[in-house]
Amino acid sequence: MGDAEIIIPRHVAVVMDGNGRWAEERGLDRTEGHREGRYAARRFVRAADDRGVECVSLYAFSTENWARPETEVEALMTLIEGALLAELEELCQHDVRLVWSGGREGLPGALRRALNSTIEATAGNAGMVLNLCVNYGGQAEIAEAAKQIAQKVRAGELDADEVAPETISAHLYVPELPPVDLLIRPGGDLRVSNFLLWQIAYAEFYVMEDFWPDFQAEHLDAAIADYSRRRRRFGGLPLEE
Ligand code: FPP
């Protein structure tokens, strides 16, 4: 018997949780945890790319995060903007293409411009896709898709009887993303937190006890090894061995 077969998931999504607790444990401001979380995100993107993952999704700012204190919200906006500008060169070196899932309204202009210019600058990259979820909520994404579909029905462009799951998929923020295979959540909580609700229908869930700023490539290897041992059935029966 050799080593167990490793199956590389096509799409890995991460709820980057535990930044605040990581900082509080050290007597630091919560924003220090987000700053470290940014470097963890860089380690994750490199590790996923090295292992041949096709697409990664990172939950950087949710529609619920607006309820945090203004200083924390502002720090996150500035951090995400700064990270995009600082990482552009490396994204291009690794042929990574940035896409953005999230509501276009309500973000500071500087962050919106940084997102749009990075999307444009990496549009020709043919390697891994990095789906950055900013001002993102799963329910809002599905509601937005439903709105667009309703408008098409009203305009006579679409027959209501023909609306199917594929119709919803085609109206998500980034329709071409493959379904999520593996959803990683650091920080120990067993929650989905309104993340990629449509795309995670059959995702395998992997919870890490460590906080996000402590993420290392070994965590991804452990998650992939665990994922490889699971027998995905998609609601059917196990495949014959
Ligand atoms: C959740 O931890 C984390 C966030 C709300 C922000 C995550 C954003 C980053 C790490 C910035 C990354 C930027 C790029 C461009 C990749 P929490 O504050 O809820 O932690 P807690 O549960 O311990 O309080």
Side-chain angles (χ1 to χ4, degrees):
M1 278 276 285
D3 288 338
E5 190 195 358
I6 290 295
I7 301 164
I8 301 295
R10 286 181 72 195
H11 186 172
V12 181
V14 185
V15 178
M16 302 187 285
D17 199 20
N19 297 341
R21 282 168 285 168
W22 182 93
E24 280 157 16
E25 269 187 358
R26 289 161 178 76
L28 301 170
D29 192 77
R30 293 175 54 81
T31 55
E32 294 297 325
H34 297 314
R35 221 182 302 281
E36 281 302 313
R38 180 199 144 178
Y39 296 112
R42 180 198 275 168
R43 292 193 291 277
F44 170 75
V45 170
R46 282 183 181 161
D49 188 42
D50 284 349
R51 282 151 187 78
V53 173
E54 269 176 53
C55 174
V56 291
S57 289
L58 291 176
Y59 208 177
F61 192 87
S62 76
T63 46
E64 288 71 33
N65 289 152
W66 292 109
R68 294 192 177 200
E70 206 178 309
T71 49
E72 187 173 341
V73 170
E74 274 172 18
L76 277 166
M77 298 289 150
T78 310
L79 183 68
I80 298 168
E81 181 201 337
L84 287 165
L85 302 176
E87 303 297 344
L88 176 60
E89 201 178 316
E90 177 158 350
L91 291 176
C92 287
Q93 272 167 11
H94 288 87
D95 217 14
V96 175
R97 180 163 71 93
L98 186 90
V99 294
W100 168 22
S101 289
R104 268 45 181 173
E105 302 298 317
L107 288 177
L111 175 54
R112 225 178 31 239
R113 283 191 292 279
L115 280 160
N116 287 329
S117 64
T118 313
I119 289 167
E120 216 170 289
T122 63
N125 294 350
M128 193 172 77
V129 173
L130 166 54
N131 174 37
L132 198 60
C133 300
V134 184
N135 196 21
Y136 178 83
Q139 292 179 340
E141 179 176 38
I142 296 168
E144 184 58 38
K147 193 196 314 187
Q148 287 178 32
I149 292 165
Q151 284 166 345
K152 288 187 182 171
V153 169
R154 191 174 55 194
E157 293 166 21
L158 196 64
D159 181 347
D161 290 331
E162 280 170 13
V163 174
E166 294 73 24
T167 324
I168 306 278
S169 299
H171 290 83
L172 298 175
Y173 291 123
V174 188
E176 72 268 24
L177 294 182
V180 174
D181 299 304
L182 174 61
L183 174 62
I184 299 178
R185 179 161 192 145
D189 281 332
L190 302 172
R191 275 197 291 280
V192 169
S193 298
N194 201 17
F195 190 38
L196 299 176
L197 295 181
W198 186 266
Q199 299 87 338
I200 62 167
Y202 288 101
E204 296 289 333
F205 206 5
Y206 182 84
V207 175
M208 303 166 32
E209 291 306 316
D210 289 338
F211 296 137
W212 179 242
D214 289 323
F215 173 86
Q216 298 295 342
E218 291 71 30
H219 289 103
L220 179 61
D221 288 329
I224 291 177
D226 197 69
Y227 169 83
S228 302
R229 283 192 293 271
R230 300 194 197 170
R231 303 177 73 209
R232 301 179 78 196
R233 294 191 294 276
F234 299 96
L237 294 172
L239 299 172
E240 292 288 322
E241 296 278 352

